[in-house]
């Protein structure tokens, strides 16, 4: 879940993907999240089956509480992402209103997954290391502690990439995306206003040029009549 979800988080932020169409990137983003969700469900089922076979109580630790919470919110995030942003039925104002919430909740879920992994490996060390115990700092404890530090660094790097403006995917020029019948292309209201203003300026320029041409023709005809 950590590795695949992190790939889904930054898939829009990689410069070599900016040449791909936005629709293609949407499918890649949704596909990675779907794979991560399937792996998370398989892992959750495996944990419950292992606990039941070993007569270990379920859902008693903070690790299990936060892990299940993250999985529930991740499933909701995935469902709303499909319904609102991938399928071409949601109105553009709704997409614009939910996009900041979608991005923030995705980063929050990723940070929660990192925290769950850190609590999980610590819990495993405490229960598994008997002789010597965890507090004696055996090589296994040092190894897993280093793994935890790498997880923190990795998570911080992903969050940094996802929050920096210069890593943001540049807006597409003249891009056509799927949209509802009678709807407008995806984009901000400012971009729509700028486009309408540009079209209006071009229309005014054509009208002015046409009027000037007609005026020149009238002057030419008058000059010809006076010469004749």
């Amino acid at each position: 879940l950590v590795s695949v979800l992190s790939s889904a988080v930054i898939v829009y932020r990689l410069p070599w993907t900016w040449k791909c169409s936005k629709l293609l990137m949407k499918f890649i983003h949704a596909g990675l999240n779907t794979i991560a969700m399937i792996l998370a469900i398989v892992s959750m089922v495996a944990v419950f089956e292992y606990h039941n076979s070993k007569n270990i109580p379920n859902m008693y630790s903070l690790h299990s509480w936060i892990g299940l919470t993250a999985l529930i919110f991740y499933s909701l995030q995935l469902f709303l992402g499909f319904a609102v942003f991938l399928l071409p039925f949601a109105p553009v104002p709704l997409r614009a209103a939910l996009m900041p919430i979608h991005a923030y909740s995705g980063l929050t879920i990723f940070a929660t997954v990192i925290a769950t992994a850190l609590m999980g490996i610590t819990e495993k060390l405490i229960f598994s290391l008997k002789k010597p115990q965890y507090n004696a700092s055996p090589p296994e404890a040092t190894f897993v502690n280093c793994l935890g530090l790498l997880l923190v660094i990795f998570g911080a790097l992903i969050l940094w990439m996802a929050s920096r403006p210069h890593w943001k995917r540049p807006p597409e020029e003249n891009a056509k995306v799927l949209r509802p019948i009678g709807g407008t292309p995806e984009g901000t209201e400012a971009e729509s206003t700028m486009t309408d203003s540009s079209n209006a300026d071009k229309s005014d320029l054509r009208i002015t040029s046409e009027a000037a041409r007609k005026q020149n023709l009238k002057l030419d005809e008058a000059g010809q009549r006076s010469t004749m």
Side-chain angles (χ1 to χ4, degrees):
L1 185 59
V2 172
S3 59
V4 182
L5 179 56
S6 63
S7 301
V9 168
I10 64 170
V11 69
Y12 285 107
R13 303 283 176 158
L14 303 176
W16 54 84
T17 66
W18 293 348
K19 295 182 180 180
C20 300
S21 66
K22 189 173 183 180
L23 184 61
L24 175 61
M25 298 311 300
K26 280 187 176 183
F27 279 111
I28 294 176
H29 179 72
L32 289 173
N33 278 292
T34 302
I35 293 173
M37 187 66 196
I38 293 173
L39 295 177
I41 293 175
V42 171
S43 301
M44 185 69 68
V45 173
V47 168
F48 277 96
E49 289 187 353
Y50 176 78
H51 280 199
N52 294 334
S53 65
K54 298 293 184 179
N55 294 322
I56 300 175
N58 292 311
M59 301 302 301
Y60 67 91
S61 65
L62 182 61
H63 165 70
S64 59
W65 284 26
I66 296 182
L68 183 60
T69 302
L71 186 60
I72 292 174
F73 278 100
Y74 188 37
S75 61
L76 294 175
Q77 171 89 344
L78 188 60
F79 173 76
L80 292 177
F82 270 105
V84 176
F85 298 104
L86 188 62
L87 299 179
F89 303 115
V92 174
L94 178 62
R95 294 186 180 189
L98 292 181
M99 177 55 72
I101 301 175
H102 179 74
Y104 175 78
S105 59
L107 296 180
T108 303
I109 291 172
F110 174 72
T112 305
V113 168
I114 293 290
T116 304
L118 294 176
M119 288 185 287
I121 60 177
T122 303
E123 181 182 295
K124 185 65 176 178
L125 281 176
I126 294 175
F127 291 159
S128 299
L129 294 180
K130 301 299 182 181
K131 295 180 181 180
Q133 294 184 350
Y134 184 29
N135 56 12
S137 297
E140 296 87 349
T142 302
F143 174 78
V144 177
N145 287 344
C146 291
L147 175 62
L149 288 176
L150 291 177
L151 277 175
V152 172
I153 296 173
F154 176 75
L157 179 62
I158 296 298
L159 294 176
W160 182 84
M161 292 177 63
S163 61
R164 296 299 91 187
H166 57 273
W167 284 88
K168 188 176 181 180
R169 177 184 173 91
E172 296 182 4
E173 297 181 0
N174 301 324
K176 294 182 179 180
V177 295
L178 292 176
R179 58 183 185 275
I181 298 176
T184 57
E186 291 183 1
T188 61
E189 182 178 354
E191 292 173 346
S192 177
T193 303
M194 292 173 62
T195 303
D196 294 340
S197 176
S198 176
N199 293 336
D201 292 342
K202 292 179 180 179
S203 178
D204 292 340
L205 181 60
R206 287 195 297 267
I207 294 174
T208 304
S209 301
E210 184 68 19
R213 187 179 66 83
K214 292 180 179 180
Q215 183 68 22
N216 290 335
L217 288 176
K218 291 180 180 180
L219 292 176
D220 290 342
E221 291 176 357
Q224 291 174 0
R225 287 196 296 270
S226 63
T227 303
M228 291 171 64

